[in-house]
Amino acid sequence: MTTLTQTLLPLTTITFPEIALRTRDAHKLRGYFGELFREHSPLLHNHYETDTDESPRYRYAYPLVQYKVLHRTPTLVGIREGATLLAQLFLRIRELDINGERFPVLSKHIRHEQAPLGISDELHRYRFETLWMALNQDNYRDYRNRSETERHAQLKRVLITQLLGLFREADLWLAPHERIMVHLSVEPHTTQFKNQTMMAFAGEFTANVVLPDGLGLGKSVARGFGAVRRLSS
């Protein structure tokens, strides 16, 4: 019997069920917590501090702490070191400040788990709970010049690449005989990002992978894009 490549990913999820925000407020959550706990870790705001007057360097890696608004509920998700950090800071979160509007935290929930991640011998369906920002500037130009069939194939390749990137972040490397198989069903939408109109996608996919609910795929997952949730079979 062949052993499939999987790991257990340390995962912490914090929700604030009595506070309702808009999906587009996720980046404001990121800004608030990045400033509130700036001294604790660059993981919270994805920048490394410098010892000079230079601007902070950006941390180009899969974000270990992600900020989302899922079904109007403010949600923080941390993996690996980010999971440990969120658990340590949980008791210190007493309010949210969103653009100067203060929301007292009357209740908050935390879930810390070892979540399975990796290749599966079964197919699982996932929905993008928030828009999936699949394309960067370069592959968006390619996307625009392709036929519908070619566009669909390109998006499948992009998704597989993003899944492999997530696996690498978890130190998970597939065996030579293992392949990710994806069936993708999405439709394009436009969204505002940093005062620009961007293309993103809504929909779902089926793949032979196990993913924890809430993790993001694609660009700008720290700001809430591309959050996935497994659907019942």
Side-chain angles (χ1 to χ4, degrees), residues 110-179:
I110 185 169
R111 185 177 72 249
H112 186 71
E113 60 188 311
Q114 299 292 320
L117 175 74
I119 291 289
S120 172
D121 56 3
E122 298 179 345
L123 295 174
H124 301 284
R125 289 176 58 216
Y126 296 91
R127 174 183 294 142
F128 287 110
E129 296 285 270
T130 55
L131 289 176
W132 174 44
M133 197 177 289
L135 304 172
N136 57 32
Q137 287 185 336
D138 291 334
N139 54 24
Y140 174 65
R141 282 194 290 268
D142 292 339
Y143 179 87
R144 286 195 308 172
N145 295 326
R146 294 175 183 266
S147 68
E148 286 299 319
T149 300
E150 292 171 333
R151 288 178 177 183
H152 186 75
Q154 180 186 8
L155 289 176
K156 284 179 61 175
R157 290 193 299 271
V158 166
L159 179 57
I160 290 171
T161 298
Q162 292 169 358
L163 289 167
L164 290 171
L166 173 59
F167 288 178
R168 286 195 298 272
E169 184 60 49
D171 290 330
L172 190 65
W173 304 89
L174 301 190
H177 66 276
E178 293 177 324
R179 296 288 184 273

Side-chain angles (χ1 to χ4, degrees), residues 3-233:
T3 301
L4 297 174
T5 300
Q6 285 193 12
T7 190
L8 292 177
L9 183 69
L11 177 75
T12 296
T13 305
I14 298 175
T15 56
F16 305 91
E18 295 186 5
I19 298 175
L21 297 179
R22 298 165 298 183
T23 302
R24 64 177 179 268
D25 289 330
H27 77 280
K28 298 174 185 176
L29 277 179
R30 176 178 178 269
Y32 173 66
F33 282 109
E35 285 299 320
L36 183 64
F37 297 121
R38 174 175 287 274
E39 73 276 13
H40 287 274
S41 173
L43 299 181
L44 287 170
H45 46 76
N46 252 33
H47 292 86
Y48 290 114
E49 299 296 338
T50 64
D51 295 326
T52 68
D53 292 334
E54 298 176 359
S55 299
R57 294 180 292 113
Y58 195 77
R59 178 184 176 275
Y60 289 103
Y62 184 80
L64 303 186
V65 177
Q66 302 170 20
Y67 306 86
K68 311 163 194 289
V69 179
L70 303 177
H71 305 288
R72 304 206 68 192
T73 300
T75 303
L76 312 183
V77 176
I79 64 171
R80 301 186 68 185
E81 300 96 318
T84 302
L85 184 61
L86 286 187
Q88 292 171 347
L89 299 177
F90 175 72
L91 292 177
R92 297 183 54 185
I93 303 172
R94 297 183 175 88
E95 70 172 10
L96 303 184
D97 186 333
I98 306 298
N99 266 10
E101 184 176 359
R102 295 180 181 273
F103 298 87
V105 173
L106 303 178
S107 68
K108 53 190 171 180
H109 297 164
I110 185 169
R111 185 177 72 249
H112 186 71
E113 60 188 311
Q114 299 292 320
L117 175 74
I119 291 289
S120 172
D121 56 3
E122 298 179 345
L123 295 174
H124 301 284
R125 289 176 58 216
Y126 296 91
R127 174 183 294 142
F128 287 110
E129 296 285 270
T130 55
L131 289 176
W132 174 44
M133 197 177 289
L135 304 172
N136 57 32
Q137 287 185 336
D138 291 334
N139 54 24
Y140 174 65
R141 282 194 290 268
D142 292 339
Y143 179 87
R144 286 195 308 172
N145 295 326
R146 294 175 183 266
S147 68
E148 286 299 319
T149 300
E150 292 171 333
R151 288 178 177 183
H152 186 75
Q154 180 186 8
L155 289 176
K156 284 179 61 175
R157 290 193 299 271
V158 166
L159 179 57
I160 290 171
T161 298
Q162 292 169 358
L163 289 167
L164 290 171
L166 173 59
F167 288 178
R168 286 195 298 272
E169 184 60 49
D171 290 330
L172 190 65
W173 304 89
L174 301 190
H177 66 276
E178 293 177 324
R179 296 288 184 273
I180 294 178
M181 298 178 292
V182 167
H183 173 77
L184 184 64
S185 177
V186 294
E187 57 183 23
H189 289 252
T190 57
T191 185
Q192 290 299 120
F193 179 73
K194 295 184 178 180
N195 296 320
Q196 292 186 340
T197 300
M198 305 284 289
M199 176 179 286
F201 298 86
E204 60 182 63
F205 64 94
T206 300
N208 61 328
V209 297
V210 177
L211 303 173
D213 285 349
L215 277 191
L217 295 172
K219 291 174 56 61
S220 298
V221 299
R223 296 168 178 259
F225 285 90
V228 301
R229 181 173 67 85
R230 191 192 300 188
L231 302 175
S232 300
S233 301

